[in-house]
Amino acid sequence: MDNARIADRLEAFSSLLELADANPYTARAYRRAAETIRGALVPVADLVRTGRVRELRGIGPGIETRLRELVETGEIVELAELERELAPGLVGLGRYLGLTTKRSVEIARALGVRTPDELREAAAAGRLQTVPGIGPKTEARLLEALAREAEPRPQRGLLLTRARELVGAIASALDGEAAGDARRWRDSCELLAVVCAAPDRSSLLARFAELPQIVAVVEQRGRRAVGVTVEGVPVELVVAEPERFGTALLRATGSPAYVAALEPLPEAPDEAAVYHALGLPWCPPELREEPFRGEPPALVETDHIRGDLHCHTTWSDGRATVEDMARAARERGYDYIAICDHTPAVGAVPGLSADDVRRQAEEIAAANELLTPFRVLRGIECDILADGRLDLPDDVLAELDWVQASVHGGQRMPRREQTLRVEEALRNPYVRCLSHPKGRLINRRPENELDLERVFEVAREEGVALEVNGLPDRLDLSGEHVRDALRAGVRIVCSTDAHSVRGLGNMELSVRTARRGWATPADVVNSGPLRSILAGRCL
Ligand SMILES: [Zn+2]
Ligand SMILES: [Zn+2]
């Protein structure tokens, strides 16, 4: 059994555990294990047989037991049972139609159907009304949804990381290209699309329907099909004739408004040729939100980043030590990293007091001793208290190389108070950067009420930079707000807010978000050398 097959089964298990409302951490652990196995360089089946599979990241005793069962018997019994019970194809279709998992399973049982096609037949034959609880109104809504021709959208946007993983896996399985919102690095993705080039569409459409990620094909017309995942997320597949591939890719990448302004699109085999025929320079997907026909600026790239200025360690809620984080940053080719653990007011997790900050300084000095000329900066993620004062006294902040100020508590404050509070913090002479300025958690918590225009004004006066936080559920500032900040003359910092060595890998998410805000290297503080970081104000 090869790694791809093992990973597919674990991923299916993860999705079904989610559907079965099992512990979400368990489901997530299986999804992560699937990722690890997909990327493993050695045959995982061999590691299982020789009892070494737990040396892989994220594989504990529970997952090892499942893996042994899978490798030895070719199947995971509980997974097969869940598949029988939940009929993932039906559940996926049901979720796409707006039904809960429970409701989909009830309907399937009542109608005695097992597959999406059987459900369609039953619906077309008018049998939906025989299901307890479905009246004429619900029936009409479901029939309409089954027949809809409008752009398919998920119930809510997917996190960018999840969308890229999903669309990327489908694209690579079909030798196609990821398109849609994920190719533009949108923070929350609704249009998920893959474009393939093939003279004959039928074999690709068949392969698409067979992919482990796709549980049901809800629509198929000409060279286009829409499949849904077990979560009910629609993914569009476009099979273009090779001589029109570039046109199809550009169109499927969007945004719809950007593409509409370029229509009619000439037909060409690759995207560069489409732009050439239009008489325009190629445009990076991150800039394709609004109509634009000009010369794109030279945007910042991940390679321009010289250091990460926001990360945590075991001193607060991080999982790695100062030295581990520093080594990992050096391996990424950085020149510096700022250790920014929390302060006590953060509440839910440990925070550093003034004494702790001074004790941590010794550990940082020791790491610098080992790693020079790489530089570990003494930083802090200092809470902004309700009245705008900071959570550590000025004499402590004055010792530090890099101070991030953060709102964690009191996020629901009214706009005026919140703005005054942040303004006050920005006036502190030691603050260098405002962390995750809007405080949103994508799909979970709305943005704080904050007058960004005013914040930009004060930040510019005080020489304070604004963070583009690279955590997948933050991406804060958003691309749109980065653009406003840059127009207001404020500089930005691309940071990961890493809580583990692996978390440092989110730099690309931050940089792509900055690119969506039209940022060039000069706009990004940490594209500069160490001495510019140590020089003080971010003007
Ligand atoms: Zn924070
Ligand atoms: Zn943080």
Side-chain angles (χ1 to χ4, degrees), residues 310 312 342 381 406-408 435-436 469 474 497:
H310 183 173
H312 295 265
H342 289 291
E381 180 177 13
S406 302
V407 167
H408 288 128
S435 324
H436 40 74
N469 187 295
R474 284 201 185 268
D497 200 351

Side-chain angles (χ1 to χ4, degrees), residues 250 258 262 264-266 268 271-283 292-296:
L250 202 160
Y258 171 83
L262 296 182
L265 292 184
E271 233 186 35
V274 181
Y275 279 99
H276 185 78
L278 286 168
L280 298 176
W282 182 80
C283 180
F292 173 65
R293 306 180 69 102
E295 180 75 43

